[in-house]
Amino acid sequence: MAKLILSMDGVVLKEIPLSKERLTIGRKPHNDIQIDNLAISGEHAAITTLLNDSFLEDLNSTNGTLVNGQPVKRHALCDGDLIELGKYRLKYLAEAATPVAADFEKTMILRPGMTRPSAPPAPVATPAPPVQQPAAAAIQLLSGAQAGRELELTKSLTTLGKPGVQVAVIARRPHGYFITHVEGGQYPVLNGRTLDAQAHPLADHDVIEIAGIKMEFFFKT
């Protein structure tokens, strides 16, 4: 699991695992990471984590958000990125792959007249069950200049919308498709209802509206 290391003036204050899909940072106590400092806005920034990817969004903070010394509004985080909020630093550490342990054979001393015992039979590995994949799906644009265009959802993450205006992603998971708000003051609309910051499952023929464009989600047969 990816995590953040919070520090100030080189002193590590806290380690925060990114166990939630959306994690907020700010001065107010309702934030997931509260930093009680006047340089930090009440709701300063948010990090959305989908599968193995994390996205940082500045929530129109007063003093801004820096990543590796550069101001950002939205940024796809990479391992080792340093987020700067005033005097505070948040280092992003991506999930590390589990190392495969090497199988070393113990050394045995063989004396005359001794035979090396035969090794026990290796256990037969049980094949892992196949990873379940959701049914193939796509979206069709219902309005805008490209109305009628279809886009198949073959990637684990499909980004939709207009950067700087409104952005959402559709995540393809083993148990279905989910839409999550990533950027912008307005949230996506699903079947006429405005969504919140959490991931929402998609059903066949759902109508989504993002950045003023309507589109239909459907399963391909």
Side-chain angles (χ1 to χ4, degrees):
M1 181 185 299
K3 61 184 177 181
L4 298 171
I5 306 296
L6 175 65
S7 65
M8 185 180 71
D9 297 331
V11 178
V12 174
L13 303 176
K14 195 175 184 182
E15 182 176 306
I16 306 108
L18 296 180
S19 56
K20 296 177 62 177
E21 286 191 342
R22 183 176 170 85
L23 182 148
T24 58
I25 308 166
R27 192 178 68 254
K28 293 181 179 179
H30 67 263
N31 288 283
D32 299 293
I33 302 176
Q34 184 192 10
I35 302 177
D36 191 8
N37 186 285
L38 291 177
I40 309 299
S41 296
E43 294 179 352
H44 196 103
I47 294 177
T48 301
T49 300
L50 299 166
L51 301 179
N52 296 321
D53 298 301
S54 295
F55 302 89
L56 170 70
E57 179 189 1
D58 180 84
L59 301 177
N60 297 317
S61 64
T62 302
N63 294 318
T65 301
L66 303 181
V67 175
N68 303 327
Q70 300 297 320
V72 298
K73 290 298 292 180
R74 181 175 179 270
H75 176 80
L77 291 167
C78 299
D79 186 39
D81 275 353
L82 190 64
I83 305 166
E84 301 176 53
L85 309 173
K87 294 182 179 180
Y88 290 83
R89 306 288 184 269
L90 285 161
K91 187 170 185 178
Y92 174 76
L93 298 176
E95 181 177 6
T98 303
V100 178
D103 184 15
F104 292 105
E105 187 181 60
K106 292 182 179 179
T107 303
M108 296 185 68
I109 300 174
L110 296 181
R111 296 187 176 89
M114 292 180 61
T115 59
R116 184 171 180 173
S118 58
V124 178
T126 303
V131 178
Q132 181 184 357
Q133 294 294 338
I139 56 171
Q140 182 177 35
L141 300 181
L142 302 178
S143 64
Q146 300 187 57
R149 180 189 172 192
E150 278 190 19
L151 174 64
E152 288 197 36
L153 301 174
T154 57
K155 300 179 182 179
S156 59
L157 287 176
T158 302
T159 304
L160 303 169
K162 297 178 182 178
V165 178
Q166 187 181 13
V167 175
V169 294
I170 293 179
R172 184 173 184 258
R173 301 180 182 176
H175 50 290
Y177 294 82
F178 293 78
I179 185 169
T180 306
H181 171 77
V182 173
E183 176 186 358
Q186 292 185 330
Y187 288 81
V189 176
L190 180 64
N191 299 326
R193 182 173 65 90
T194 302
L195 301 180
D196 55 22
Q198 303 303 314
H200 289 264
L202 290 172
D204 198 21
H205 300 299
D206 274 351
V207 176
I208 307 162
E209 184 173 347
I210 302 172
I213 302 296
K214 286 188 177 181
M215 57 198 78
E216 180 185 1
F217 170 86
F218 63 94
F219 289 107
K220 297 180 72 70
T221 55

